[in-house]
Amino acid sequence: MRFGAAVLRSYQGPFALEEVALNAGPAAGEVLVRIAGCGMCRTDLAVRRSAGRSPLPAVLGHEGAGVVVETGGPDTRLSVGDHVVLSFDSCGYCRACVRGDPAYCDSFAELNLFGGHKEDAGRFTDASGKPLAPRWFGQSSFAEYAMVPARNAVRVDPALPVELLGPLGCGFLTGAGAVFNTFRAGPGDTIAVLGAGAVGLAAVMAAAAAGAVIVAVDRHPERLAMAERFGAIPLYGAASLRDRIRKLTDGGVQYALDTTASPELINDALRALRPTGHLGLVARLHQPLPLEPGTLDRGRKLSHICEGDAVPGLLIPRLTELWQAGRFPFDQLIRTYPLDEVNEAERDCETGRVVKPVLIPHSKKEHP
């Protein structure tokens, strides 16, 4: 079958809307999904900064959601017509997967970042028959259709606006999962969120739903205004950050989540932790992180959090239930674009003009 997709052919060049082809139907354990909407995540855009690691040409996109139109058999647990949110891929059988930690799958990098299974090569091609990199994050959902492993497709209530749900599969999953799964924050806990982008604001919303006291740090006043609307105490800029957090939280926070990868902010957040406090990092560090002596004394912890330590099939339904209850208003962060405006969506994402762009493949005009 042939359909439209946004293809990235060079690490410096723009996306191009092209006709692409799937040259085989779903294999056992796979489903074909008509994409209703796909969030744009900074991980998609990071492909440009890690030139050579992720193969091109490729169709990116890993926050897809849509409707199942074909299945590869009964073992998929899904049926034609099911509404699904797509998340990251995992092998399902390594030790990490078996113990319920699919984000730490032994094959995570291969399946999600570096081209997928080699046996998939040739199944996905451009209009001239030349191969495209197989399944980015098991999806390649900057497209009208995606062939995905059923294990990373999560069934959702068909009454929900499926075109807006895709970011629950990665960006919003990561921020909320850090609060619910990693920190297990509860009423009265204190948490600092550094960086009020899509991941950070999802963490703010989740912390508010958990009943925590939240401090949000950012250098963009409009982002801080959103964080404050969702229940956070806003802190502008990084000056004297440790002292200001301590003053606002009666001596420090139990948890902190950094989305900035700034060594200076990370060190300030560590020094703002209470004893036994935990700082989680979600962004890849691109420079050394020197730590002052004593920073991790008295039980303080520093860890990297991948995909919110989430099992998508458990967390995504929880987030949709919170949204329906008015306690996780992620839709307020979204602006939608037709697929042919993918480059405009990228610019708005990179500049911070929009928190979470969502591409609508079957739309020809913007939905404000």
Side-chain angles (χ1 to χ4, degrees):
M1 65 178 296
R2 291 175 177 259
F3 51 89
V7 179
L8 187 67
R9 291 195 170 274
S10 75
Y11 297 105
Q12 295 79 34
F15 289 93
L17 194 63
E18 300 183 15
E19 184 181 71
V20 299
L22 277 172
N23 299 309
E30 293 181 329
V31 293
L32 179 64
V33 177
R34 184 181 191 266
I35 298 297
C38 182
M40 178 172 282
C41 177
R42 289 190 176 274
T43 301
D44 295 308
L45 309 185
V47 167
R48 298 187 185 281
R49 294 187 287 275
S50 58
R53 298 185 70 202
S54 298
L56 295 183
V59 176
L60 304 180
H62 65 284
E63 292 184 342
V67 181
V68 175
V69 295
E70 189 177 352
T71 75
D75 61 330
T76 64
R77 303 168 290 103
L78 295 169
S79 302
V80 171
D82 281 347
H83 288 210
V84 291
V85 173
L86 310 180
S87 194
F88 58 89
D89 199 2
S90 57
C91 75
Y93 53 80
C94 71
R95 293 185 66 176
C97 287
V98 170
R99 69 173 181 250
D101 293 324
Y104 303 97
C105 172
D106 289 351
S107 302
F108 186 92
E110 174 193 353
L111 294 175
N112 292 287
L113 299 169
F114 302 151
H117 290 300
K118 291 182 172 53
E119 58 265 30
D120 288 332
R123 293 181 67 193
F124 192 33
T125 64
D126 64 16
S128 65
K130 295 179 180 178
L132 298 170
R135 291 202 298 232
W136 171 252
F137 273 78
Q139 300 182 38
S140 290
S141 48
F142 285 171
E144 294 178 328
Y145 291 86
M147 188 81 77
V148 304
R151 65 178 165 269
N152 64 310
V154 179
R155 186 188 292 110
V156 293
D157 184 346
L160 297 172
V162 68
E163 70 277 6
L164 301 183
L165 301 184
L168 296 178
C170 185
F172 298 159
L173 177 103
T174 297
V179 172
F180 290 142
N181 300 325
T182 311
F183 300 152
R184 299 190 178 183
D189 283 334
T190 49
I191 178 170
V193 177
L194 281 63
V199 173
L201 288 170
V204 167
M205 289 186 282
V213 176
I214 315 146
V215 176
V217 180
D218 205 284
R219 57 189 176 85
H220 297 289
E222 64 280 5
R223 296 289 179 90
L224 285 177
M226 283 190 281
E228 185 175 20
R229 189 167 72 242
F230 297 144
I233 302 167
L235 277 185
Y236 177 78
S240 304
L241 184 60
R242 173 191 59 179
D243 294 337
R244 289 190 293 157
I245 290 177
R246 284 181 168 178
K247 183 177 180 180
L248 286 170
T249 56
D250 192 27
V253 291
Q254 186 65 33
Y255 306 110
L257 182 69
D258 178 75
T259 71
T260 70
S262 162
E264 179 183 3
L265 289 180
I266 291 168
N267 270 288
D268 276 348
L270 279 169
R271 291 190 292 267
L273 288 178
R274 297 178 185 271
T276 74
H278 184 178
L279 169 62
L281 312 179
V282 296
R284 175 183 289 272
L285 294 173
H286 295 285
Q287 52 189 312
L289 177 62
L291 299 179
E292 294 183 0
T295 300
L296 295 177
D297 287 357
R298 303 189 68 195
R300 295 181 180 91
K301 296 181 284 291
L302 173 66
S303 71
H304 182 266
I305 303 169
C306 185
E307 300 287 357
D309 287 341
V311 177
L314 297 178
L315 185 54
I316 290 171
R318 181 179 182 184
L319 297 181
T320 61
E321 290 171 3
L322 285 171
W323 178 76
Q324 288 175 299
R327 300 175 62 199
F328 192 76
F330 69 87
D331 55 307
Q332 296 183 28
L333 307 181
I334 287 173
R335 178 183 174 187
T336 64
Y337 301 74
L339 186 60
D340 59 8
E341 291 183 9
V342 58
N343 291 302
E344 179 183 340
E346 180 182 12
R347 286 192 297 271
D348 288 348
C349 185
E350 285 281 34
T351 62
R353 180 169 178 260
V354 174
V355 176
K356 177 57 68 173
V358 170
L359 299 172
I360 308 294
H362 299 274
S363 171
K364 298 301 181 185
K365 65 179 182 178
E366 182 178 328
H367 297 266

